[in-house]
Amino acid sequence: MPAILGQNQYGKSENRVVRIVRDGGIHRLKDLSVSISLSGDMAEVHHSGSNAHVLPTDTTKNTVYAFAKEYGIESAEQFGIHLARHFVTSQQHIQRARIRIEEYAWERIQVPMPGAGEATTFTEATEASGHSFVRSGQETRVCQITYDGARWQIISGLEDLTVMNSTNSEFWGYVKDRYTTLQEAYDRILATDVSARWRHGWEFDENPMPAWEDSYAQAKRYILQAFAETYSYSLQQTLYAMGSRVLEGMEGIDEIRFSLPNKHHFLVDLKPFDLTNDHEVYLAADRPFGLIEATVLRDGAAAEIPVDLTGG
Amino acid sequence: MPAILGQNQYGKSENRVVRIVRDGGIHRLKDLSVSISLSGDMAEVHHSGSNAHVLPTDTTKNTVYAFAKEYGIESAEQFGIHLARHFVTSQQHIQRARIRIEEYAWERIQVPMPGAGEATTFTEATEASGHSFVRSGQETRVCQITYDGARWQIISGLEDLTVMNSTNSEFWGYVKDRYTTLQEAYDRILATDVSARWRHGWEFDENPMPAWEDSYAQAKRYILQAFAETYSYSLQQTLYAMGSRVLEGMEGIDEIRFSLPNKHHFLVDLKPFDLTNDHEVYLAADRPFGLIEATVLRDGAAAEIPVDLTGG
Amino acid sequence: MPAILGQNQYGKSENRVVRIVRDGGIHRLKDLSVSISLSGDMAEVHHSGSNAHVLPTDTTKNTVYAFAKEYGIESAEQFGIHLARHFVTSQQHIQRARIRIEEYAWERIQVPMPGAGEATTFTEATEASGHSFVRSGQETRVCQITYDGARWQIISGLEDLTVMNSTNSEFWGYVKDRYTTLQEAYDRILATDVSARWRHGWEFDENPMPAWEDSYAQAKRYILQAFAETYSYSLQQTLYAMGSRVLEGMEGIDEIRFSLPNKHHFLVDLKPFDLTNDHEVYLAADRPFGLIEATVLRDGAAAEIPVDLTGG
Amino acid sequence: MPAILGQNQYGKSENRVVRIVRDGGIHRLKDLSVSISLSGDMAEVHHSGSNAHVLPTDTTKNTVYAFAKEYGIESAEQFGIHLARHFVTSQQHIQRARIRIEEYAWERIQVPMPGAGEATTFTEATEASGHSFVRSGQETRVCQITYDGARWQIISGLEDLTVMNSTNSEFWGYVKDRYTTLQEAYDRILATDVSARWRHGWEFDENPMPAWEDSYAQAKRYILQAFAETYSYSLQQTLYAMGSRVLEGMEGIDEIRFSLPNKHHFLVDLKPFDLTNDHEVYLAADRPFGLIEATVLRDGAAAEIPVDLTGG
């Protein structure tokens, strides 16, 4: 029999859970998609179909909803830690759990203050509703929690944070070969959908855990600010500036990886119409797109974020 | 020959144009996808393939970029009016133009004030960048401009404005037949992705044109506030409240249509796990979904928004 | 109160039902997504939220599954007819039902004949499996059934049938204005994703119903053949040829509408690399795309297919 | 400076190329999306933005189109080998190239034989058109070619091959914990979207290269047949049967990895409607879904396919 079983994992993907906490009339909510992957002593189910070692994926789904009640959802990372610990410690045949979570952000709807009448103009007094929310579509927050019974690996990140600099970007001085036709650019639009993952140094229960919500807000802010403040000669340079800003400002983060599509905005040639285009009119292209990917590491840190984890 | 040519139109869809205006270091931008449909004396191109009456769709694409330079993009509606007027008045064989536009919103990135150092905490002083933007994914603004050489029909709207009330929604007292198993609900989540289109009363060049940007902001605000403030016994009731709020508050709007998917959030049964679920843990479902659609009209106004225009 | 309720409808969308029929070891299956929209005496639920006239959308979902058992799914059209008749005739307050259905096609997997060993080469004997299927992703079949208690309107169609002619397409002789830069083409690729809807003449129960399965197969075949056989000077001409082929060949069909994106394949300029491109290398573009839409009618037939029904 | 540059790569993604070969009136076509990632001595562009080592991604795009002319596209794998070799051997600063390709399959449209008239029935004589094609949406063929100047790593595969067994699947005998509510099943639908990647043993130019087109067809056929012929007690068992079938039948393949979503089809409870459901009516669910992933290896082969390469 020549076929050997290699790496394998199983679980339930995209369990959509919304958790509401009511503090009088003020509600707070968390909105997650939770995906579970379990590994362990699973040769037999592949060879014979015997499920004697298999906790059903349906059970893992139930556990998500039960834990949302039992533990609440303080943060995506903390919720994933509860789940991963449970599967590894309670199931004899499971040695490793990986939890991936997407989080969708919501903002409170602004409503007129009591007695203010309807808010017909922006200057009238409004207040945040206690129970009415509008989804903020800016980026999707993500995390991945992996636990083998001893060590935690916590990777946080974001997807689809779309940013644009309308100037302060150049591209010139590159290699030219037989197939090069591109003209050098001294003032171009630089735009990308940031896909990022950063790995926290925290690994063991005996060490103090990061404040996950603050950590995420700070990392996102650094990424945005480094993008805005970098006068860029290449998207690689901007990527590295974003990564090093996070590592320098946040000592709890050891590694960060980006996948940055270069969302090309082509300056449209208006000369055929006797018009000049002084960096005013651009065509936003879809495909093909440049793709710049790199990891930035704290000196001495291991590179653990998989190459293909960003970008999807 | 039994086959008769009926309604027909042609054009170029999804022309992606970004227009930058530089006011010193402060840039403003508009980011649109423009789709053009032209109708007129087009029988021959269908019957024989003769293109003698056909302005190429490629030309209509070029016109979008040239007009972005010549007229700027004050608003999506105003830009569409320039385009529609051009095609109908300049082309002998074109009697009607319909322009559909999607607009993507961008916000300025907040950067540290000069001299403030890096913004390591939220309390440090920041200011809005002049040229760095982050895309606001909340909703997509849309409009449709139709012109036949005499009358304008302007429909504005939005897609994918996702809202949720975590309480103040009930559903009971409905018809029960042989196939009814649903339990009545006295406290449920109400969530939807608002798709809306509203038609402006403005129709003729001699009348004063609405202020399109303010009008959009006000309509969106009314929709959000009516959603938040309605204690709801049915999604139909909430729809009607949103529509009538817009019509009552904005005399320039004659008609509004909504397509509202009922994004079901099912209260999870935790009793098998010896847990109670006091409106805390919900499963967010994808399919199937309820779909509630209706037009709300100013008394005496014509119903012109097509039934299938919302919802896509 | 200035706000009047206009056209309105409600129901459950995208009920995914798979129906298996076992004939010994030979299974047949139908795989549908069924969307229901009901209209009638529904003012009160919009004004006050009273659900006294409202059959819950959850009930309409249950009805789909119950009818799949009670009636089977002979064809998407026939299944929609059962559903529409039920809602209109059994519910006092519902006067009109519209059922939209998508159907996904499956083919039988070919397996080695008994005693043939594994099929290591294509020449070994295989037979169609009785219970193993692979989904045929070519097009999605669709239909829309509307009933008001007296008259049926049955529209069949398809989405995403992607076709390409690698020659026999030209484009020249068009209008040229100030914004025209396009070069004339005497041998180009013509490619499109066919979106089509055709309306059957059958309207009343007392007349013999079409054979829905055969009718669909025949209409699809005519569309493909007319696309292949038309030497084309414009996509409009190809559209009309497809439509008239269906109307001429199928007397039970009165009207057909197409929405045809012109999926541009640009001949790549290889001269900068000292290469000639004799209609060999094309860039397949996404956006923008031309969009050609038209209805073709049997002489004397009414135009009932909505302009926006195709294309989505 | 604490930030160290780790793994990095750059290139142009999703270059859409269609290559036509005309053999008289008989055309053949290849339709690819080609994505290029290059790595090498790229520290400086990250640190300072100097592009002195950077071949522009635009040049890599041009190379795709030029090579489609110069070399033709015999197969996706062979085309990727030409590209990867070019970048590594012609660019001083590039040490590694990875080419990912998606291929879209097309079938010839059947048209009536000359003199046959229109094909009004299926029994009339037809023949395959020479230049008219319809896209076969079944699966997407993919491959990944990696070259470091010495060794080739060639991974072929497919995405979105959707298959279903309407019987011969059971699921019972699994672990039960506090959160388990699932009922055991003795006759269920088993359906999945196969995502697979297999690695060829071929690594060096001096060895004979596989016949890529035949190899792909054979691997796909084995996967389908093993799916159809396995009486399944778990999706893991079916996965292993598919993998071992490929490895046993194809000695040129050393490793195969699958990502198999369990597309749940729930037997609908019709008892509330006084109906029995004898494995006839199923609800096809979207989310959450089970996800079964594993690698199967030839004994002694290295595990090189990344865990996250399948499934996306």
Side-chain angles (χ1 to χ4, degrees), chain C:
Chain C
M1 178 64 160
I4 306 299
L5 180 66
Q7 198 277 351
N8 63 88
Q9 57 195 8
Y10 82 102
K12 194 72 111 195
S13 290
E14 302 190 18
N15 298 284
R16 296 278 290 106
V17 59
V18 171
R19 178 64 157 92
I20 309 286
V21 175
R22 301 184 177 202
D23 182 5
I26 308 301
H27 294 196
R28 286 176 290 116
L29 75 85
K30 282 284 189 181
D31 182 1
L32 308 182
S33 177
V34 180
S35 296
I36 294 165
S37 287
L38 306 177
S39 305
D41 180 11
M42 295 291 158
E44 196 53 32
V45 66
H46 291 85
H47 291 141
S48 73
S50 162
N51 292 299
H53 290 189
V54 176
L55 185 73
T57 65
D58 187 78
T59 300
T60 68
K61 176 196 71 177
N62 287 346
T63 309
V64 168
Y65 294 102
F67 274 37
K69 166 67 184 183
E70 290 186 281
Y71 294 101
I73 302 179
E74 186 186 320
S75 66
E77 286 85 353
Q78 178 64 71
F79 189 61
I81 287 169
H82 286 308
L83 286 165
R85 189 191 308 274
H86 166 76
F87 292 118
V88 171
T89 58
S90 70
Q91 286 294 320
Q92 179 183 357
H93 303 291
I94 294 175
Q95 276 103 44
R96 179 180 169 277
R98 189 199 72 195
I99 315 294
R100 287 185 175 166
I101 301 179
E102 293 194 348
E103 178 173 349
Y104 315 108
W106 295 82
E107 304 167 12
R108 293 179 188 281
I109 295 176
Q110 291 291 317
V111 292
M113 297 274 284
E118 286 172 14
T120 53
T121 73
F122 287 104
T123 56
E124 287 183 60
T126 62
E127 64 180 355
S129 169
H131 68 274
S132 291
F133 302 87
V134 56
R135 186 163 152 175
S136 165
Q138 200 167 74
E139 86 276 11
T140 300
R141 178 175 171 179
V142 298
C143 64
Q144 173 178 297
I145 293 89
T146 310
Y147 185 55
D148 61 5
R151 176 179 177 255
W152 295 97
Q153 185 202 62
I154 314 288
I155 295 173
S156 301
L158 53 80
E159 290 290 318
D160 294 324
L161 182 68
T162 303
V163 291
M164 180 194 293
N165 284 331
S166 56
T167 188
N168 288 11
S169 168
E170 308 188 11
F171 187 60
W172 48 266
Y174 41 76
V175 175
K176 293 168 189 68
D177 76 0
R178 177 188 167 192
Y179 299 107
T180 302
T181 57
L182 186 72
Q183 298 300 304
E184 299 193 326
Y186 295 90
D187 188 354
R188 64 170 186 172
I189 283 182
L190 186 71
T192 188
D193 299 321
V194 180
S195 167
R197 295 291 186 288
W198 49 91
R199 185 172 56 79
H200 300 272
W202 182 79
E203 294 182 347
F204 299 104
D205 283 313
E206 56 264 36
N207 297 328
M209 202 180 281
W212 303 113
E213 301 292 88
D214 290 348
S215 171
Y216 177 81
Q218 185 60 51
K220 177 183 169 185
R221 189 168 37 189
Y222 276 137
I223 289 169
L224 285 175
Q225 291 182 352
F227 178 81
E229 295 178 352
T230 301
Y231 192 105
S232 175
Y233 296 94
S234 73
L235 186 48
Q236 285 94 329
Q237 178 195 6
T238 296
L239 182 157
Y240 184 79
M242 295 193 293
S244 58
R245 180 80 62 101
V246 170
L247 293 183
E248 287 166 15
M250 302 181 71
E251 59 180 18
I253 295 178
D254 280 354
E255 179 187 9
I256 184 166
R257 184 170 176 83
F258 293 94
S259 180
L260 302 182
N262 194 337
K263 295 171 70 81
H264 305 303
H265 286 72
F266 296 115
L267 198 64
V268 180
D269 179 12
L270 301 178
K271 287 194 294 290
F273 322 124
D274 294 323
L275 298 169
T276 57
N277 188 356
D278 185 19
H279 301 91
E280 297 161 280
V281 179
Y282 293 86
L283 183 157
D286 298 309
R287 294 202 298 186
F289 54 90
L291 186 59
I292 310 299
E293 302 176 285
T295 296
V296 186
L297 291 154
R298 186 173 302 285
D299 198 1
E304 297 189 9
I305 302 176
V307 164
D308 291 323
L309 191 58
T310 46

Side-chain angles (χ1 to χ4, degrees), chain D residues 230-251:
Chain D
T230 301
Y231 192 105
S232 176
Y233 296 94
S234 73
L235 185 48
Q236 285 93 329
Q237 178 196 7
T238 296
L239 181 157
Y240 184 80
M242 296 193 294
S244 57
R245 179 82 61 102
V246 170
L247 293 183
E248 288 165 16
M250 302 182 71
E251 60 180 19

Side-chain angles (χ1 to χ4, degrees), chain D residues 24-225:
Chain D
I26 307 302
H27 295 196
R28 286 175 291 116
L29 74 84
K30 281 284 188 181
D31 182 1
L32 307 183
S33 176
V34 180
S35 296
I36 293 164
S37 288
L38 307 176
S39 305
D41 180 10
M42 295 291 158
E44 195 53 31
V45 66
H46 291 85
H47 292 141
S48 73
S50 163
N51 293 298
H53 289 190
V54 176
L55 185 73
T57 66
D58 186 77
T59 299
T60 67
K61 175 195 70 177
N62 288 346
T63 308
V64 168
Y65 294 102
F67 274 37
K69 165 68 184 183
E70 291 186 279
Y71 294 101
I73 302 178
E74 187 185 318
S75 66
E77 285 85 354
Q78 177 64 71
F79 188 61
I81 287 169
H82 286 307
L83 287 166
R85 189 191 308 274
H86 166 75
F87 292 118
V88 171
T89 59
S90 71
Q91 288 293 320
Q92 179 182 357
H93 303 291
I94 294 175
Q95 276 103 44
R96 179 179 168 279
R98 189 199 72 194
I99 315 293
R100 286 184 176 168
I101 301 180
E102 292 194 349
E103 177 173 351
Y104 314 107
W106 295 82
E107 304 167 11
R108 294 179 187 281
I109 294 176
Q110 292 291 316
V111 292
M113 298 274 285
E118 287 173 13
T120 53
T121 72
F122 287 104
T123 57
E124 289 182 58
T126 62
E127 63 181 356
S129 168
H131 68 274
S132 292
F133 302 87
V134 57
R135 187 163 153 176
S136 164
Q138 198 168 76
E139 87 276 11
T140 299
R141 177 175 170 180
V142 298
C143 65
Q144 172 178 298
I145 293 90
T146 310
Y147 186 55
D148 62 5
R151 176 179 178 257
W152 295 97
Q153 184 202 62
I154 315 288
I155 296 173
S156 301
L158 52 81
E159 289 289 320
D160 294 324
L161 183 68
T162 303
V163 291
M164 179 194 294
N165 284 330
S166 55
T167 188
N168 288 11
S169 169
E170 308 188 12
F171 187 59
W172 49 267
Y174 41 75
V175 175
K176 291 168 191 70
D177 76 359
R178 176 188 167 194
Y179 300 107
T180 301
T181 57
L182 186 72
Q183 298 299 306
E184 299 194 325
Y186 295 91
D187 188 354
R188 64 170 188 172
I189 283 182
L190 186 70
T192 187
D193 300 321
V194 180
S195 167
R197 295 292 186 288
W198 49 92
R199 186 171 56 79
H200 300 272
W202 182 78
E203 295 181 347
F204 299 104
D205 285 312
E206 56 265 34
N207 296 328
M209 201 180 282
W212 303 112
E213 302 291 87
D214 290 348
S215 172
Y216 178 80
Q218 184 60 51
K220 176 183 169 185
R221 189 169 35 190
Y222 277 137
I223 289 168
L224 286 175
Q225 291 181 352

Side-chain angles (χ1 to χ4, degrees), chain B residues 161-215:
Chain B
L161 182 69
T162 304
V163 290
M164 180 194 294
N165 284 331
S166 56
T167 187
N168 288 10
S169 168
E170 308 188 11
F171 187 60
W172 48 267
Y174 40 76
V175 175
K176 292 168 190 70
D177 76 359
R178 176 185 167 195
Y179 300 107
T180 303
T181 56
L182 186 72
Q183 297 300 304
E184 300 195 326
Y186 295 90
D187 188 354
R188 63 171 189 172
I189 282 182
L190 186 70
T192 187
D193 300 321
V194 180
S195 166
R197 294 292 186 288
W198 49 92
R199 185 171 56 79
H200 301 272
W202 182 79
E203 295 183 346
F204 299 104
D205 285 313
E206 56 265 34
N207 296 329
M209 200 179 281
W212 303 112
E213 301 291 87
D214 289 348
S215 172

